[in-house]
């Protein structure tokens, strides 16, 4: 059979004007326009394309798109069958490209661009196999899986041999856990009731709505103003009752000492965790907060730049909840490394989602973690938000309080008409806005 060649790489700058309604608003990001650098890998097989994205908040999305173009020569011309047999060959060609790596290394815009491309590659492999990504990965043998992971810089915590042993040990329960996910889904929590820009009335109404949908875990944004946070925490706790879990997210707003003081004042609401209490790179700061506010947990990871940051957070006992993000690091390979380290250290993984496409992605990753790696649902919930799902061919289904399994082959794919409407600045929505001028014309 002829091999499948990746013929070209297309990047589209997609931006949604979510700041209109303050969806996604928090203490640092007050008016985000949910956006993504969207990569399409076209192949020599008619109709077979790999789609991948990385998420941003609007301005600067064009910088990530430009970076994706810079990596194109290292992907285009490769054969899919060769990649399937040597994922690390492609991974290193991108992540360790000897000139481009100076822009990171393995962090920031260059790493996110690698993530978008590698998300597209995994999408392509799963589509070629006719399986949703979670099922494609679940069906790989432990021996195949460890060949998809880069253990460089993490072998002091996790070696390839240990990872293989862990995957083999969990193998007997895989079929039963897969059946359970197909039947019941993965536990979800919502952030959509607690955005910082929402009024108390809107928060109350949304809590009622999400409780009626079966959700038992709710997250609120904090960090802009402590008095306001105390009031909103009271509103939210009263709305959801004493038995449901309430989480808080400061989105990096506080100093270490401030985080400790403020959480003492918010402890009355019995928060399960405080997320991103301070600078995301401050591992020792997170550890100090974790020690001071226990039993309230510390959660972080959505902007942790690579597997080494996660390694150190775990080593320092700085987090009780590990929040992987599907687009911040270099695709599913790096995510697998983080999931395995968290499992070895006994830390619950509660994936970050929201944005555009992140929910569509993390349902795969949460199920891969449960079915193949952790084998437990204790203290595990996956973030969900209610925004922008209508733009995907296989939108998430969060019902009865759980994420249902993805059924469409691949990872996630945005509808063509949505791309044509929201591409910046040439899409129909932006052409209209830019022509009309005014404050909301530009993201």
């Amino acid at each position: 059979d002829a091999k499948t060649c990746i013929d070209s790489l297309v990047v589209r700058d997609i931006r949604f004007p979510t700041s209109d309604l303050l969806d996604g608003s928090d203490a640092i990001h007050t008016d985000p326009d949910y956006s993504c650098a969207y990569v399409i890998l076209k192949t020599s097989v008619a109709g077979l394309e790999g789609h991948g994205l990385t998420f941003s908040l609007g301005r600067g999305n064009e910088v990530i798109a430009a970076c994706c173009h810079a990596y194109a020569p290292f992907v285009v011309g490769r054969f899919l069958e060769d990649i399937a047999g040597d994922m690390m060959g492609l991974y290193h060609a991108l992540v360790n490209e000897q000139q481009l790596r100076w822009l990171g290394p393995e962090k920031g815009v260059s790493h996110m661009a690698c993530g978008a491309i590698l998300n597209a590659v995994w999408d392509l492999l799963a589509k070629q196999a006719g399986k949703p990504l979670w099922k494609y990965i679940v069906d790989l043998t432990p021996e195949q899986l460890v060949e998809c992971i880069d253990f460089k810089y993490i072998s002091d915590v996790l070696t390839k041999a240990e990872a293989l042993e862990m995957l083999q040990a969990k193998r007997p329960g895989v079929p039963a856990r897969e059946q359970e996910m197909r039947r019941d889904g993965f536990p979800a929590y919502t952030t959509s009731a607690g955005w910082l820009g929402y009024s108390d009335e809107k928060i109350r109404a949304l809590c009622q709505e999400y409780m009626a949908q079966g959700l038992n875990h709710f997250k609120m944004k904090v960090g802009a103003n402590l008095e306001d946070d105390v009031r909103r925490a009271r509103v939210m706790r009263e709305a959801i009752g004493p038995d449901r879990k309430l989480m808080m997210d400061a989105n990096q707003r506080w100093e270490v000492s401030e985080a400790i003081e403020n959480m003492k004042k918010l402890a009355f609401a019995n928060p399960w965790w405080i997320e991103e209490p301070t600078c995301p790179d401050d591992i020792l700061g997170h550890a100090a907060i974790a020690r001071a506010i226990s039993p309230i947990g510390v959660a972080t990871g959505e902007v942790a730049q690579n597997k080494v940051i996660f390694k150190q957070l775990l080593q320092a006992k700085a987090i009780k909840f590990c929040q992987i993000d599907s687009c911040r690091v270099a695709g599913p390979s790096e995510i697998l490394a983080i999931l395995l380290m968290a499992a070895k250290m006994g830390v619950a993984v509660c994936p970050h989602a929201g944005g555009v496409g992140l929910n569509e992605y993390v349902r795969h990753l949460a199920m891969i973690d449960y079915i193949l790696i952790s084998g437990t649902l204790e203290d595990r919930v996956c973030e969900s938000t209610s925004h922008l799902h209508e733009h995907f061919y296989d939108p998430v289904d969060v019902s009865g309080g759980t994420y249902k399994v993805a059924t469409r082959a691949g990872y996630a794919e945005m509808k063509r008409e949505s791309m044509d409407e929201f591409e910046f600045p040439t899409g129909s929505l932006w052409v209209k806005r830019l022509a009309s001028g005014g404050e909301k014309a530009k993201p």
Side-chain angles (χ1 to χ4, degrees), residues 109 253 308 335:
V109 168
R253 185 66 188 256
V308 176
I335 296 279

Side-chain angles (χ1 to χ4, degrees), residues 115-167:
I117 293 167
L118 288 162
N119 283 341
V121 167
W122 282 92
D123 178 66
L124 198 46
L125 289 168
K127 279 177 180 162
Q128 193 187 43
K131 298 174 182 179
L133 181 77
W134 69 268
K135 179 61 174 159
Y136 176 78
I137 289 179
V138 161
D139 287 348
L140 294 175
T141 65
E143 292 74 17
Q144 287 172 315
L145 274 166
V146 294
E147 294 303 329
C148 296
I149 299 168
D150 180 16
F151 292 91
K152 177 91 170 161
Y153 303 135
I154 61 168
S155 59
D156 50 330
V157 162
L158 181 75
T159 64
K160 193 175 190 175
E162 285 176 306
L164 181 60
E165 209 174 288
M166 286 169 68
L167 290 163

Side-chain angles (χ1 to χ4, degrees), residues 247-264:
M247 298 91 92
M248 295 177 179
D249 183 357
N251 286 94
Q252 315 155 32
R253 185 66 188 256
W254 296 324
E255 298 295 311
V256 172
S257 54
E258 236 183 327
I260 293 166
E261 282 311 302
N262 291 352
M263 287 316 295
K264 284 178 182 164

